[in-house]
Amino acid sequence: MSEPQVVVITGANRGIGLELARHYAREGCEVIGVCRQSSDELAAVANQVIDGVDVTTDAGIDALKTGLAGKSISLLINNAGLLQDEQLGSIDFDSIRTQMEINAYAPLRVTEALVPQIREGGKIANITSRMGSIADNDSGGRYGYRASKAALNAFGKSLAVDLKPRGIAVAQLHPGYVKTRMVNFGGLITPEESAKGLAERIANLNLENSGSFWHSNGEELPW
């Protein structure tokens, strides 16, 4: 019998991350949830929880590498994120810096640290946002969130190019407008619906379409 696929998910303690953990557990994968603070729901579904991890710090990345020592990773999902709002005329640049650290730099940190453990044929899914699309921006605002997700998209595209020779595919995935704490539960779809669509996009990811930017519903999004 073959070994189960190892799926590593950051920000797995609630919302979309938790539903992705549940999905891959149902698929028979070995699910490893990474978070700052675990939850009973995650503990009930994950094979392993690595908590107390701040993915914006060197210490957090070291703790993550220690917790994953010896693991051959099939799928890495960079899901942890932060949404804040800034208005022109009263922009909080500390808020923008924080969002850049969490939404853009942290996924790149995590990926660089774990690439040696991602097997050939493995996949990386960056949970981004269509708000990172410059072409799609017709409402302005959200300076930090938009910029950080645009940066994540750029990082993901470069990762796709750099990792293709190693047989690793990378996708930038917009989860949809999801009813989570991040948006005060005011979204249009449930975390379960979002996770189902995201998993379908990940299943269809390969080296030929690596580097693309998709909506969870299958629509390819403009940069």
Side-chain angles (χ1 to χ4, degrees), residues 52-196:
V53 174
D54 182 346
V55 289
T56 69
T57 67
D58 291 341
I61 296 301
D62 288 343
L64 177 59
K65 290 167 66 176
T66 298
L68 290 170
K71 294 291 184 182
S72 177
I73 299 168
S74 306
L75 171 61
L76 168 62
I77 302 178
N78 288 307
N79 168 70
L82 174 68
L83 169 65
Q84 294 182 335
D85 195 10
E86 303 83 30
Q87 300 295 327
L88 188 61
S90 59
I91 291 177
D92 180 348
F93 285 92
D94 287 336
S95 169
I96 292 177
R97 291 186 189 96
T98 299
Q99 288 173 93
M100 290 296 293
E101 285 285 352
I102 294 172
N103 295 342
Y105 304 155
L108 186 59
R109 279 176 177 266
V110 169
T111 301
E112 184 178 45
L114 298 184
V115 154
Q117 294 176 240
I118 300 177
R119 65 175 180 80
E120 184 176 357
K123 301 178 181 183
I124 299 168
N126 294 316
I127 307 303
T128 182
S129 172
R130 73 184 306 159
M131 290 181 71
S133 167
I134 294 171
D136 191 59
N137 183 357
D138 58 6
S139 58
R142 301 283 190 186
Y143 289 89
Y145 192 72
R146 290 186 186 280
S148 63
K149 292 299 189 178
L152 176 57
N153 289 348
F155 291 159
K157 180 63 176 180
S158 283
L159 286 168
V161 173
D162 291 342
L163 294 176
K164 188 172 185 178
R166 299 180 57 165
I168 299 171
V170 183
Q172 285 63 248
L173 301 177
H174 170 59
Y177 186 27
V178 188
K179 298 176 183 178
T180 64
R181 186 181 303 180
M182 179 180 280
V183 294
N184 295 317
F185 303 99
L188 298 175
I189 62 173
T190 65
E192 295 88 344
E193 290 169 323
S194 175
K196 181 176 183 293

